[in-house]
Structure formats: structure tokens, C-alpha cells
Amino acid sequence: MRMKKVLQAVAGTAVLAGVSLGITAPAQAAPAGTVITAYFGDARAQFDNSPGDGAQSWVWGYSPYAKAYVKYQDYNGTQYKLYLNAGQAATTEPSFDVWRAAICVYDGGTGYACGNWASV
């Protein structure tokens, strides 16, 4: 009987330790210097909120076959665009953190088709 109480006490302590760790562990954010990538066909957009060169953030895009643009958004909901010529990359360094980005490619006729948002 005594062994049963010891085992129950040890099990209870282990459960409390697990609960305590779950409450005190910090939320995981993207590590500094983490590049987030969005794709649409062969075109792609990337952004990084800690590029390591002193800039607040960095946005880059490339579309090999058609003109395109990277649409990116700050945490206030404002959208911006970085325009790309076919076969050329472009980059910018906004003075704010980027929340999400997507690549949009000219469809050759009526407009642009966009890929899914990639976000932090």
C-alpha cells in the first residue's frame, strides 16, 4: 500500500511539472533571419523581418517568364506592391515588419493571378 502512495505522489508531481512547463513556456515565433517564401508556378516571393543588414525587413520577388508583382502587407493591414519584369528579380527594404506576402503573375490577357499568402 505504501508503494502505491509513493507511485501516486511521483505521478502527480510529474503531471504538475508538465502543466507548469506548458504554462510558462514562451510562444514560439519565427527565429530572427527566417525567410518566408510564397510560390505561384515558377514565380516566388520572399520576405524576412530580420535580414541582418540593419534594415527592418526585406522583400524580394522573381518571375522567370512573365511580369509580376509581390504584394505584401504590414501588421496594420496596409498592402504594398513590388513590381517585377519578366526574368528579373527585384527587392525592397520596408521600414516596418511584413506580416504576409504573395506573388501575382500577369496572365497574358486580362490581369494577374495570385498565389496563396505566406505569413509569419
Side-chain angles (χ1 to χ4, degrees):
M1 186 68 158
R2 182 177 171 119
M3 180 58 98
K4 183 177 179 183
K5 288 189 183 228
V6 169
L7 289 175
Q8 287 173 340
V10 169
T13 303
V15 168
L16 287 176
V19 169
S20 176
L21 287 176
I23 292 171
T24 60
Q28 293 295 318
T34 299
V35 175
I36 308 297
T37 304
Y39 298 94
F40 187 73
D42 292 331
R44 63 183 184 259
Q46 296 180 327
F47 71 94
D48 184 349
N49 285 327
S50 186
D53 64 355
Q56 180 72 31
S57 61
W58 167 82
V59 176
W60 173 87
Y62 176 72
S63 177
Y65 307 115
K67 63 182 179 177
Y69 64 87
V70 177
K71 63 179 180 179
Y72 57 101
Q73 192 170 18
D74 65 19
Y75 281 91
N76 293 325
T78 305
Q79 280 191 31
Y80 305 86
K81 292 180 181 176
L82 173 64
Y83 289 93
L84 314 167
N85 290 319
Q88 294 181 335
T91 188
T92 187
E93 292 185 329
S95 60
F96 51 84
D97 282 344
V98 175
W99 169 41
R100 61 186 187 166
I103 185 84
C104 302
V105 178
Y106 184 63
D107 67 10
T110 60
Y112 289 81
C114 299
N116 293 328
W117 288 102
S119 61
V120 174

